[in-house]
Amino acid sequence: MLKVGVLGAGHLGKIHLRLLNQSEKYDLVGFYDPNSENADKVAAEFGYKKFDTIQSLIEAVDVVDIVTPTLSHYDCAKDVIQAGKHLFIEKPISNTVEEADELIALSKQYNVKGQVGHVERFNPAFIATKDKIENPMFIETHRLAEFNPRGTDVPVVLDLMIHDIDVILSVVKSKVSLINASGVSVISDTPDIANARLEFENGCVANLTASRISMKNMRKSRFFQKDAYISVDFLDKICEVVKMKDAPEVPGDFDMILQNAEGIKKQIYFDNPDVNANNAILDELETFADAINNNTTPIVTLEDGTEALRVAYQIIDCFKK
């Protein structure tokens, strides 16, 4: 079991503390939170050990789980890496791409592993379908949320859309060649609703929409590729895979057959995989423990987190133009 400590005991930090405490792969040593009143409350309510300084926590563990506000990610991560400890860091990896690039360089210098908390990679509906997503050429994503004041200090791109950016970059094996985007500030100082169009060198196009002022919540992605359509509902954790194959010479009574203008017939069939329920946050933390213990590459690397951040800022730059 790896000794682990948590930096930050806010809403998400408390979830991480609970899951790490119940995990069989980690030994939860304690936590640090700069808000002493909140730290005392969490320690009293749950019995976790409270550390008085970041340094004392880092010294006591093998792994540090950083669940602090984004602005502090870089400083916290730098201290962790320079102490030679592995780090799990919530998304976005840092406040700027330059900070993220420096964290990658430091992690290599100090030979430590890092993983970024892009939790949708561990969503059971995405896990069930990701092996069926092969060379998609058009992708459409909608991530809509009801208004929540928590998170309005950053543009909706960094708050919500970055989840879909990371998922898309993980399945499109090509570089982004062109970005067009627009964003509108409705009730915040930063954009609350945004749309972005990403074009890749291989011809794939992705159209992303994110909003935090919607009447209902939605987190859906659709992937279109040769002879297949794949739909992933990240919110309800369901998926649909519709495929095409050459039609049989003698179709059955219930076979769905399409015929194009050239007379070519295709059979439509459903290949819906089983979705196995999981706790995505627990899975991302435990697969990181496996990566450390087995000396393998984490599922969401620091480089992955940096690329998602880089594209997010390129989208935000489009707003300014």
Side-chain angles (χ1 to χ4, degrees):
M1 291 174 77
L2 294 163
K3 290 182 178 177
V4 65
V6 177
L7 294 182
H11 172 72
L12 188 56
K14 282 189 278 200
I15 294 172
H16 279 230
L17 282 163
R18 175 173 57 80
L19 294 172
L20 289 167
N21 195 41
Q22 72 185 46
S23 171
E24 294 180 359
K25 301 194 178 187
Y26 289 103
D27 171 18
L28 178 61
V29 174
F31 74 97
Y32 170 79
D33 191 290
N35 182 329
S36 57
E37 188 180 335
N38 183 57
D40 290 339
K41 187 179 173 186
V42 171
E45 187 174 345
F46 302 103
Y48 308 134
K49 182 180 177 182
K50 179 193 73 164
F51 283 78
D52 294 326
T53 65
I54 289 180
Q55 294 303 337
S56 59
L57 174 69
I58 293 173
E59 287 167 12
V61 300
D62 308 308
V63 184
V64 177
D65 179 9
I66 300 172
V67 201
T68 61
T70 305
L71 284 172
S72 64
H73 282 187
Y74 170 74
D75 289 333
C76 292
K78 191 174 175 184
D79 287 346
V80 171
I81 295 169
Q82 289 178 331
K85 307 300 171 85
H86 304 292
L87 76 157
F88 183 97
I89 188 166
E90 255 313 315
K91 67 87 197 164
I93 178 171
S94 59
N95 192 45
T96 68
V97 175
E98 292 74 23
E99 289 176 351
D101 284 336
E102 193 177 329
L103 293 179
I104 291 171
L106 283 169
S107 69
K108 290 175 179 173
Q109 180 185 340
Y110 287 88
N111 194 28
V112 300
K113 291 189 184 295
Q115 180 164 315
V116 184
H118 283 286
V119 72
E120 292 291 37
R121 294 265 209 114
F122 299 84
N123 188 297
F126 179 64
I127 289 172
T129 53
K130 68 178 179 182
D131 291 340
K132 300 179 185 296
I133 301 172
E134 300 167 358
N135 198 30
M137 295 312 290
F138 180 67
I139 302 169
E140 192 160 36
T141 72
H142 288 88
R143 187 166 293 261
L144 315 177
E146 295 172 9
F147 184 72
N148 179 355
R150 194 173 66 86
T152 54
D153 54 330
V154 294
V156 70
V157 176
L158 293 176
D159 185 24
L160 297 178
M161 190 184 281
I162 196 166
H163 285 292
D164 298 311
I165 294 169
D166 173 68
V167 166
I168 289 168
L169 294 180
S170 77
V171 297
V172 180
K173 304 306 178 189
S174 180
K175 289 183 177 175
V176 176
S177 58
L178 182 67
I179 296 176
N180 287 295
S182 60
V184 180
S185 303
V186 181
I187 50 180
S188 311
D189 292 333
T190 59
D192 297 302
I193 185 165
N195 176 262
R197 176 186 165 94
L198 310 183
E199 294 183 22
F200 292 84
E201 289 177 356
N202 69 352
C204 176
V205 171
N207 192 21
L208 299 85
T209 300
S211 167
R212 57 182 174 209
I213 49 167
S214 296
M215 301 301 287
K216 62 175 185 176
N217 294 322
M218 179 194 284
R219 305 205 305 256
K220 284 185 178 176
S221 294
R222 299 173 181 88
F223 303 85
F224 298 85
Q225 61 197 40
K226 175 74 173 165
D227 291 337
Y229 157 77
I230 296 153
S231 169
V232 180
D233 188 325
F234 290 91
L235 187 62
D236 292 331
K237 299 177 175 56
I238 53 177
C239 58
E240 185 177 47
V241 180
V242 182
K243 287 191 171 181
M244 286 192 187
K245 61 183 177 183
D246 293 334
E249 287 191 15
V250 183
D253 291 342
F254 300 103
D255 287 350
M256 296 174 66
I257 307 296
L258 285 181
Q259 181 173 333
N260 67 12
E262 286 76 39
I264 297 171
K265 293 181 179 179
K266 293 278 188 179
Q267 178 184 351
I268 297 173
Y269 68 102
F270 294 90
D271 178 24
N272 293 347
D274 292 329
V275 177
N276 298 315
N278 71 340
N279 185 311
I281 296 176
L282 181 62
D283 277 7
E284 66 179 353
L285 292 166
E286 291 198 332
T287 59
F288 184 48
D290 293 339
I292 294 167
N293 287 325
N294 302 325
N295 194 25
T296 53
T297 303
I299 291 175
V300 186
T301 62
L302 299 181
E303 286 84 355
D304 291 341
T306 302
E307 279 312 301
L309 186 67
R310 197 185 314 276
V311 171
Y313 270 118
Q314 287 171 340
I315 290 169
I316 292 167
D317 285 343
C318 289
F319 302 161
K320 296 167 186 171
K321 293 170 190 171

